[in-house]
Amino acid sequence: MTKKRLMRDPLNLIITGVGGQGNVMISLIIGNTFVRDGYFVTIGETYGASQRGGPVMSHVRISKKTQYSPFIPDGCADIILGMEPVETLRMLGRYGNPNVITIINPRPIYSIDVTGGNAEYPDLDKLLETVKELSSQTWVINATEEAQKMGSPMFANAILIGALVGSGVLPLDKKSVGPVLRETFPKEIEANLVAFNKGIKLVRS
Amino acid sequence: MTSIDIDAPGTSQLLVGNEAIARGALEAGVGFAAAYPGTPSSEILGSLAQVAKNAGIYAEWSINEMVAMEAAAGASFAGIRALAAMKQNGINVVSDFLANLVMSGIGKGGLVLVSCDDPSAISSSNEQDTRPIAQWLDIPLVEPGDFQEAKDMTKWLFDLAEELGTLCMLRSVTRIAHARGNVKLGKLPKKQHKAHFDQVHDLKNVMPTTLMPVPSSLRHYFLHVKIDKAREKFESSSFNRYVGPDKADLMVITSGNCWLYSQDAVKALGLENRVGILKLGTLWPMPEKFIRKHLGNSQKILFVEEIDPFLERSVMEIVANLPSSSPRPTFYGKRSGHINAYGELNPNMVIKAISNILLLTYQPRDVEYSKKAEASAKSNVPERSMTFCAGCPHRATFWTIKNAIKLDGRGGIVTGDIGCYSMGLGPAGFFQVRTMHCMGAGAGVANGLGKLGQFGFDQPVLAVVGDSTFYHATIPALINGIYNQSKFILVILDNSATAMTGFQPHPGTGITAMGEPTQAISMEALCRSLGARVEICDPFDLKSTTATLLEMMSEGGGAKVAIMRRQCELLRAKKEKPPYRVYVDTEKCIGEACGCDRLCTRVFLCPGLTWDKKVGKSKIDEVICNGCGVCVDICPQGAIVREAA
Amino acid sequence: MSRNAKGCKELFEEVIDVGLCTLCGACAGGCPYLVYYKGRIALLDNCARMDDAQCYEYCPRTYLDMNEISQKIFGMPYDDGEIGTTQEVLMARSTDSVIRGKAQYGGVVTTLLSLALTEGFIGGAILTKTSDDKTPSPFLAQTVDEMLQCSGSSYMACPVLERYNQIPKDTGGKLGLVAMPCQVLAVAKMKAHPPQNRVSINNVRLVIGLFCTWALSPDKFYQFLEEHLDLSKVKKFDIPPPPANRFDVFTTSDRTSFPLEQVGKFTMPTCAYCLDMTSEFADISVGAAEGIEGWNTVIVRTDTGAKLMKMARQKGKLQVDTLPPASLAHLKEASLLKKKRALKEIVKKSGDMNNLLYVGLSPRFTEKLLA
């Protein structure tokens, strides 16, 4: 049982990305850890058809007191974990506020609207600037890059969970998350733990 | 990960709504579960199938919902508790059986039907509220307000169904079914009943054991008796409750996930002392006494519910029957326009409705920030349309269909059906699909078009259907096409999976829901035995597949079949590494000078192909690319290269 | 010269969908979107290119500035005579009996091609070969044998230029073409404004144009033949000179004839609007010598053509003679008549004497033709 407290109750965490990135897995790990610590957790997800290249967002509501709805009301996000740059900005537009804390993986995934020539992907540096302006605190974590160095882009998930835990914005630590990680990644658990630790290192550097 | 059969009563687990329902069924001692995959219901059967062997129960993916419902009823007739689960479209499919089942009654095993609606049709072809069927056919109906209730209600329904002698229905929506929340587990039963079909004929019993619908009018009377009994029980159910002040400025009447939204809204506005919430869990028959008791709590009543004004209408009916001296509150909801009558709800809408009614303003965040954030998002965030995965055989299939139709030149038409390939309607499938309705409709519509030759119709007709959809609903339509000599080509997209809903097995795959090997039903043998010409193509062989389609389109005669056989990429990727390493040779790629106007990215639209603006050439996104190598045959310069991995 | 921003959309609107397409193939094969298939040009996808839209640019039924083209090919303005610019008009026939046996009339085309190949004038030629279903398809012949296989007329349109467009971009080499008047016009346009990002037009060293009054629609005529004959037995087609008035099909065993009128129903509509009977922009134009069996009429137009003809005579490959004045007069009359008829049809179609659709002729010439 961790001694730390939620910085707000309910704590509203959004994890956003593109279908197929492993979004759902991150929310599950975080959610399960908190439930075992005695919290109420509600996770709302948009998936199904949207897996096919569409945007995916998970709304995680954490509370000591009661079960909240699976939707974070507009403007009420406390933390945004963005696995893809424009999706992060999309979330800030709707759910951001001056206090929001953002962790962002700056690796673009181009939609077919962009590759097909009907839409422009914004300049990445300018986008990151905007994200910083719209957040009280921002961490840029090159999760995909680091994951590719480890041999597969899928390690980005564990890296980002590490970053989230390492940042201290949630009352979680390695001890509480560790067992849940082991259950969730039965294959390649050691590699994922390495990735997780890398994420902690990255956010603290 | 948490399995739904974990033996830890009293502990709290994070379960998906569908898992909670499955757990509730397990705790009730369910023995038989049947379903057809349909978002957002699939995980109910999916999770039961995973634990079925250990739990000593039976779970199956039936070929369609009709058979699933009928099979579950069969189990109930033999005294085994049974469950059937489906999405809203499944309810449409089983309605004829249900209309007869409510007349016959069920057996000694409680029978529960779970219907999962998809507000906003996020993963559906239509948006539809299935609650009205409870009123239409007289089926006791409940709707869980959170994840705990999803489990508890399911468990309770089996008891209720047995007490009443009729099937009971639980309605869920995406935001419960696919959302996760805390569920305190109960005990799991130790033993299953023995199955036996009781032949005793007992007319005196309210629960007749001769399980036929006739004589219908008498059965109908018995049904009403059952419904009255249900109403009595609902009056005292703890699933219905009121939270809030005795005298409220506004009372929200709500059910299901909207109970959570309403609470969210009241909290956000800080109106716990002014706004009360009447949460209904048992929706049909309505607990009239309970409702009447609370109608006086407020002069203003707001109905918050997903999709149709079901509660609204039902409560209005109660109000209409009140003595004329009773005070009449002002009602707000879908009729007044305070709550959307279409599309899914969310807490923001409830906040807005309450604010409007009570004339409050609500500002969740700083106005300046709001303007800036919204403006940034609007100008900087491009659309992200859905598409086929990189390496999906459907992309190749639609490419060959498009080319064949264009070469043929007579304005060929593609009728569509339900699955990943429904995206053939849009840019992902090159806008080839022209019609789309429900499971099996593609071949049905094609049958009609294929008979219009006498009216001067000469456009080739192709009906695309997935392998699972083929077994589910298309065989009768194919038989019709052969028997009635309707001129169309049934293009079966055989990717060995029910992919869109989560890769559930089907009769062509040779595996059951419980992972057991079984007879695989060969679709080509089946079609040939019907007398149709059958061709099997590999959609990745663009040239040969296009030629085959062209040849079949130029032929006369009745319905014929072209099977596009190649495994779903996501399935394949689970088992093997990518077959090729694909990259763009930047010497050979001449960018805009090619004259093809970026065929690879602009037209072919595989998400693995991107345009590197800095050098003005095509580039493979190695994170997205799955190495299928099809794009190699698209590039007119031969600039895309594949190397065996 | 107007080079508007026009693309494949306008190509369809102005030419293909209004019955003006000659199936020359100049628009096809150069990009992934336009392809020839069974008697029509199919558009597989939309292309958003407007400037530099080569499909529109080289089509012989989009704007033709006759003077500009003539300047490029001949270095002089358009000759508004009956048969275009000429250096010499003769009649000739092959001295090789094998060629004469296979060929349509005098075998001049095949002889000139073989000579050009063996002398290294060209490395290959895009010709028309009859495929198994007896419809013609373009073929890149690189040996004398292959050229011989392509002898003979099918009387059906064939998209020869699609094959030319398909040659990979940086391919070198010297190429010959045997083409119909519409195709010769397209090639002349390409010479006047060389195509970009394709095989270089400078590769084309020799253009032999054929005389043509009309061409048959490949898919419609093919269906007609299929209904009446066993196509596997068909060897050769021929239209004997008037007053025969028939279309002959020679099979392995005999000859079947159809009234010319019956076959004429399968003429492509676009031929009614064509002013060019003798391939006026070729290096050498070749046709039947009417009334003189076994001989070709040969019009030498450019220095390239003259050089080749001289070589052919010197090496004894061709027997050459003066074309009888009556034959020449008849040729000119026929050619002029085609121009007059075509212009009349054009004006009828446009509804306006000043709107000649795709043709840019001097007003003087136009007046003369319409008189």
Side-chain angles (χ1 to χ4, degrees):
Chain A
M1 202 65 115
T2 57
K3 297 230 168 59
K4 286 159 76 179
R5 288 176 42 170
L6 292 173
M7 60 187 188
R8 224 204 191 96
D9 193 314
L11 184 68
N12 295 328
L13 159 68
I14 297 183
I15 302 164
T16 184
V18 175
Q21 276 192 298
N23 203 323
V24 172
M25 188 158 294
I26 298 182
S27 62
L28 197 54
I29 290 170
I30 303 293
N32 269 315
T33 311
F34 273 105
V35 164
R36 289 182 201 192
D37 274 357
Y39 290 82
F40 286 97
V41 174
T42 307
I43 306 178
E45 244 125 27
T46 312
Y47 64 82
S50 59
Q51 235 178 38
R52 308 297 183 255
V56 177
M57 62 174 182
S58 307
H59 287 198
V60 185
R61 327 255 340 253
I62 307 162
S63 167
K64 258 296 179 185
K65 302 183 204 152
T66 186
Q67 198 89 45
Y68 279 84
S69 85
F71 262 127
I72 296 171
D74 291 353
C76 294
D78 297 308
I79 307 168
I80 294 179
L81 176 60
M83 301 176 71
E84 202 280 340
V86 304
E87 297 312 315
T88 311
L89 186 54
R90 201 194 299 275
M91 291 299 105
L92 281 166
R94 187 161 173 192
Y95 300 101
N97 54 70
N99 295 318
V100 75
I101 295 169
T102 304
I103 299 176
I104 178 171
N105 174 24
R107 213 293 193 167
I109 293 181
Y110 303 108
S111 61
I112 57 167
D113 312 82
V114 168
T115 61
N118 289 329
E120 284 280 322
Y121 199 93
D123 176 83
L124 190 60
D125 291 323
K126 286 211 194 106
L127 186 92
L128 291 174
E129 271 313 301
T130 308
V131 167
K132 288 179 188 162
E133 282 167 26
L134 292 173
S135 313
S136 69
Q137 233 184 327
T138 308
W139 280 284
V140 179
I141 305 289
N142 284 305
T144 306
E145 204 181 283
E146 295 296 327
Q148 281 175 298
K149 285 190 202 154
M150 288 182 65
S152 165
M154 284 318 280
F155 288 125
N157 294 349
I159 292 174
L160 287 169
I161 298 173
L164 189 56
V165 170
S167 70
V169 299
L170 293 172
L172 292 179
D173 55 24
K174 255 163 119 164
K175 237 173 69 180
S176 49
V177 182
V180 182
L181 279 175
R182 283 188 187 280
E183 280 172 38
T184 314
F185 296 118
K187 290 190 283 186
E188 308 234 41
I189 177 58
E190 291 313 319
N192 275 301
L193 283 175
V194 170
F196 174 74
N197 287 325
K198 183 123 204 104
I200 296 180
K201 251 216 286 251
L202 282 171
V203 80
R204 288 185 183 165
S205 63
Chain B
M1 244 24 283
T2 317
S3 193
I4 56 156
D5 65 349
I6 181 176
D7 194 359
T11 64
S12 221
Q13 305 290 336
L14 184 64
L15 293 183
V16 171
N18 280 347
E19 289 173 339
I21 290 172
R23 173 70 188 205
L26 275 182
E27 289 180 8
V30 75
F32 188 104
Y36 179 79
T39 310
S41 69
S42 313
E43 294 78 6
I44 296 171
L45 196 299
S47 50
L48 282 170
Q50 249 181 343
V51 304
K53 262 221 193 94
N54 283 346
I57 68 172
Y58 177 74
E60 83 165 29
W61 286 122
S62 305
I63 199 173
N64 59 39
E65 294 89 344
M66 188 74 151
V67 176
M69 188 76 242
E70 291 160 347
S76 155
F77 294 162
I80 299 291
R81 288 192 161 186
L83 175 136
M86 57 199 67
K87 67 184 289 173
Q88 75 264 19
N89 307 89
I91 294 291
N92 301 337
V93 168
V94 304
S95 59
D96 200 9
F97 181 67
L98 291 182
N100 284 276
L101 186 63
V102 295
M103 294 293 168
S104 75
I106 61 172
K108 290 218 166 92
L111 180 60
V112 172
L113 165 61
V114 180
S115 169
C116 298
D117 296 348
D118 184 11
S120 277
I122 297 168
S123 312
S124 301
S125 55
N126 72 333
E127 178 179 68
Q128 182 186 336
D129 191 332
T130 53
R131 294 175 298 170
I133 202 172
Q135 180 179 14
W136 179 29
L137 298 180
D138 272 331
I139 303 172
L141 169 73
V142 301
E143 185 173 11
D146 59 28
F147 311 94
Q148 186 68 48
E149 285 196 349
K151 180 185 83 68
D152 295 343
M153 278 184 177
T154 305
K155 183 167 175 213
W156 176 57
L157 275 191
F158 284 95
D159 288 335
L160 184 68
E162 279 170 16
E163 281 176 50
L164 299 174
T166 191
L167 101 146
C168 294
M169 179 173 158
L170 181 145
R171 184 257 198 166
S172 172
V173 296
T174 306
R175 300 303 177 184
I176 294 283
H178 278 176
R180 288 172 210 267
N182 296 49
V183 178
K184 204 170 194 182
L185 301 184
K187 288 211 260 267
L188 288 170
K190 296 295 173 194
K191 227 172 71 133
Q192 264 298 336
H193 292 277
K194 180 165 153 49
H196 178 71
F197 192 102
D198 198 342
Q199 313 254 22
V200 172
H201 188 91
D202 185 350
L203 273 175
K204 278 190 262 144
N205 228 317
V206 171
M207 189 168 75
T209 52
T210 317
L211 299 159
M212 282 160 36
V214 292
S216 206
S217 47
L218 190 59
R219 305 277 168 176
H220 205 172
Y221 162 72
F222 284 139
L223 177 60
H224 290 169
V225 171
K226 294 175 188 177
I227 293 298
D228 288 339
K229 204 165 159 193
R231 186 179 296 108
E232 244 181 77
K233 291 189 179 286
F234 288 174
E235 293 289 2
S236 56
S237 165
S238 61
F239 293 124
N240 306 319
R241 53 185 178 275
Y242 176 77
V243 166
D246 291 338
K247 283 290 166 225
D249 294 336
L250 169 67
M251 179 170 78
V252 173
I253 299 185
T254 184
S255 70
N257 55 316
C258 296
W259 150 241
L260 290 173
Y261 297 172
S262 304
Q263 287 182 293
D264 247 340
V266 168
K267 280 208 176 69
L269 291 165
L271 296 173
E272 290 91 330
N273 294 327
R274 291 180 61 193
V275 175
I277 305 175
L278 184 68
K279 172 214 179 291
L280 293 172
T282 62
L283 305 191
W284 189 264
M286 280 250 135
E288 290 187 26
K289 292 195 197 123
F290 173 78
I291 289 170
R292 259 187 269 140
K293 192 171 98 180
H294 288 283
L295 276 176
N297 291 359
S298 174
Q299 278 302 106
K300 294 186 178 359
I301 294 183
L302 168 67
F303 294 98
V304 180
E305 54 185 325
E306 292 278 28
I307 313 180
D308 283 349
F310 181 74
L311 292 182
E312 202 166 322
R313 287 185 188 135
S314 308
V315 170
M316 291 304 213
E317 196 183 302
I318 295 171
V319 169
N321 285 314
L322 290 174
S324 51
S325 54
S326 308
R328 280 235 183 331
T330 315
F331 293 102
Y332 306 88
K334 293 178 197 274
R335 284 179 78 216
S336 69
H338 284 78
I339 293 289
N340 270 12
Y342 57 89
E344 72 164 343
L345 302 186
N346 58 48
N348 308 301
M349 294 173 178
V350 188
I351 290 172
K352 188 159 176 230
I354 295 176
S355 308
N356 277 349
I357 295 166
L358 295 181
L359 304 171
L360 304 167
T361 49
Y362 169 72
Q363 201 61 250
R365 60 185 179 180
D366 176 69
V367 177
E368 282 310 310
Y369 178 98
S370 204
K371 279 199 210 141
K372 184 165 174 211
E374 280 166 19
S376 295
K378 196 165 175 195
S379 56
N380 284 317
V381 176
E383 273 309 304
R384 194 174 290 278
S385 299
M386 289 198 309
T387 184
F388 299 119
C389 305
C392 174
H394 298 336
R395 175 174 290 109
T397 298
F398 282 114
W399 187 258
T400 60
I401 289 176
K402 165 189 70 80
N403 283 347
I405 285 178
K406 289 287 164 73
L407 288 174
D408 175 88
R410 288 176 289 166
I413 298 174
V414 180
T415 61
D417 217 296
I418 306 296
C420 283
Y421 56 95
S422 301
M423 289 192 279
L425 281 171
F430 320 112
F431 302 102
Q432 288 307 292
V433 175
R434 303 284 178 211
T435 74
M436 194 176 73
H437 300 85
C438 63
M439 297 283 280
V445 170
N447 261 288
L449 291 170
K451 290 304 293 182
L452 301 181
Q454 68 184 83
F455 304 108
F457 187 85
D458 71 342
Q459 294 161 267
V461 180
L462 295 90
V464 292
V465 73
D467 45 346
S468 192
T469 316
F470 169 75
Y471 294 105
H472 178 117
T474 308
I475 297 171
L478 176 60
I479 291 175
N480 190 73
I482 296 165
Y483 166 64
N484 281 316
Q485 298 265 314
S486 178
K487 188 161 182 260
F488 66 91
I489 303 174
L490 184 68
V491 181
I492 306 180
L493 310 180
D494 184 8
N495 60 355
S496 313
T498 316
M500 190 57 129
T501 44
F503 313 106
Q504 293 83 8
H506 61 59
T509 60
I511 309 264
T512 68
M514 287 163 63
E516 247 122 59
T518 180
Q519 172 148 0
I521 297 175
S522 156
M523 63 176 65
E524 59 266 34
L526 178 58
C527 294
R528 283 188 180 126
S529 75
L530 298 175
R533 172 183 172 186
V534 179
E535 298 298 336
I536 302 176
C537 307
D538 175 5
F540 280 6
D541 184 347
L542 302 176
K543 203 159 159 209
S544 152
T545 302
T546 307
T548 303
L549 285 174
L550 264 170
E551 202 251 302
M552 291 174 89
M553 275 158 52
S554 66
E555 223 187 37
K560 33 181 100 58
V561 179
I563 299 174
M564 303 287 155
R565 178 161 289 156
R566 190 163 268 269
Q567 197 178 62
C568 162
E569 168 55 31
L570 297 182
L571 260 190
R572 190 209 60 79
K574 286 189 198 179
K575 304 181 222 158
E576 304 158 4
K577 283 196 155 33
Y580 297 109
R581 179 176 97 85
V582 184
Y583 62 93
V584 174
D585 180 341
T586 48
E587 300 284 304
K588 288 208 178 135
C589 174
I590 51 175
E592 296 289 355
C594 175
C596 74
D597 196 15
R598 291 179 290 120
L599 169 62
C600 52
T601 53
R602 183 183 61 89
V603 186
F604 192 58
L605 282 180
C606 174
L609 284 162
T610 66
W611 194 256
D612 188 341
K613 277 213 185 118
K614 277 184 261 165
V615 298
K617 295 185 190 212
S618 177
K619 184 167 189 279
I620 303 280
D621 183 338
E622 69 275 15
V623 170
I624 305 292
C625 175
N626 282 318
C628 74
V630 172
C631 57
V632 171
D633 299 323
I634 302 288
C635 175
Q637 300 295 335
I640 307 180
V641 182
R642 63 180 170 229
E643 283 167 7
Chain C
M1 159 223 39
S2 57
R3 306 267 292 280
N4 307 332
K6 291 199 179 190
C8 70
K9 178 165 169 276
E10 287 74 20
L11 181 66
F12 276 83
E13 278 170 10
E14 296 174 20
V15 178
I16 297 176
D17 291 338
V18 294
L20 285 178
C21 175
T22 67
L23 296 178
C24 71
C27 61
C31 73
Y33 308 119
L34 286 162
V35 298
Y36 170 84
Y37 184 77
K38 291 206 174 151
R40 43 179 273 281
I41 300 291
L43 179 69
L44 297 184
D45 281 291
N46 288 318
C47 153
R49 296 187 81 96
M50 289 305 248
D51 51 343
D52 173 23
Q54 299 183 120
C55 53
Y56 185 88
E57 176 138 25
Y58 303 119
C59 172
R61 290 294 175 262
T62 61
Y63 187 66
L64 287 170
D65 184 335
M66 301 305 248
N67 274 326
E68 191 200 12
I69 295 173
S70 187
Q71 282 289 3
K72 179 69 194 182
I73 307 290
F74 304 117
M76 61 179 94
Y78 181 59
D79 182 319
D80 45 9
E82 297 92 339
I83 55 174
T85 304
T86 67
Q87 285 190 10
E88 210 185 345
V89 185
L90 327 139
M91 67 182 208
R93 69 174 179 180
S94 181
T95 53
D96 183 331
S97 57
V98 175
I99 291 180
R100 282 212 316 273
K102 263 229 91 189
Q104 204 66 26
Y105 303 108
V108 169
V109 174
T110 308
T111 305
L112 288 173
L113 283 174
S114 321
L115 180 64
L117 186 68
T118 46
E119 293 298 317
F121 217 53
I122 56 175
I126 301 181
L127 309 174
T128 300
K129 191 169 166 181
T130 307
S131 43
D132 290 330
D133 64 3
K134 310 304 172 195
T135 60
S137 48
F139 182 75
L140 174 58
Q142 291 173 298
T143 66
V144 171
D145 245 335
E146 286 177 346
M147 287 175 170
L148 201 57
Q149 281 169 42
C150 296
S151 293
S153 285
S154 68
Y155 298 98
M156 289 179 256
C158 176
V160 160
L161 296 181
E162 184 186 36
R163 184 62 187 89
Y164 165 73
N165 286 332
Q166 284 167 345
I167 296 173
K169 196 173 80 116
D170 296 314
T171 311
K174 303 176 232 182
L175 209 56
L177 286 173
V178 174
M180 305 297 261
C182 46
Q183 289 160 337
V184 173
L185 268 171
V187 173
K189 272 186 153 187
M190 290 184 200
K191 287 182 175 171
H193 299 285
Q196 304 295 307
N197 298 310
R198 290 194 187 176
V199 59
S200 170
I201 192 66
N202 294 331
N203 287 11
V204 176
R205 303 299 175 96
L206 175 67
V207 178
I208 299 178
L210 302 175
F211 290 6
C212 176
T213 32
W214 42 253
L216 299 173
S217 161
D219 61 331
K220 295 202 178 71
F221 187 57
Y222 164 77
Q223 274 169 40
F224 168 80
L225 286 177
E226 216 193 9
E227 281 164 25
H228 292 84
L229 300 162
D230 179 358
L231 285 175
S232 63
K233 298 208 167 72
V234 171
K235 291 262 104 186
K236 190 175 154 164
F237 301 111
D238 185 32
I239 298 180
N245 209 35
R246 59 170 209 270
F247 185 95
D248 292 338
V249 182
F250 294 92
T251 63
T252 43
S253 45
D254 60 13
R255 180 195 83 184
T256 309
S257 298
F258 301 100
L260 203 52
E261 207 175 69
Q262 193 181 19
V263 168
K265 278 193 281 178
F266 303 106
T267 307
M268 299 204 295
T270 182
C271 299
Y273 306 97
C274 175
L275 287 100
D276 187 348
M277 194 184 91
T278 58
S279 287
E280 291 172 14
F281 295 101
D283 293 307
I284 300 176
S285 301
V286 180
E290 269 207 36
I292 309 169
E293 205 178 317
W295 285 78
N296 286 112
T297 303
V298 179
I299 304 176
V300 179
R301 303 189 190 272
T302 64
D303 294 339
T304 303
K307 194 164 149 199
L308 187 60
M309 273 306 282
K310 187 168 166 200
M311 204 191 303
R313 292 161 94 156
Q314 279 176 346
K315 296 206 176 235
K317 299 289 181 184
L318 285 181
Q319 191 185 345
V320 171
D321 208 342
T322 330
L323 187 65
S327 302
L328 180 58
H330 185 81
L331 177 66
K332 287 185 174 177
E333 193 189 313
S335 185
L336 185 63
L337 186 60
K338 186 175 186 200
K339 287 188 204 285
K340 284 185 168 173
R341 279 193 188 138
L343 212 56
K344 204 163 138 205
E345 288 300 317
I346 285 175
V347 168
K348 197 161 130 198
K349 195 174 174 64
S350 76
D352 174 4
M353 255 193 58
N354 297 313
N355 177 3
L356 300 184
L357 294 180
Y358 67 95
V359 164
L361 291 175
S362 72
R364 191 178 59 88
F365 194 29
T366 312
E367 234 180 85
K368 181 169 130 195
L369 291 176
L370 288 174

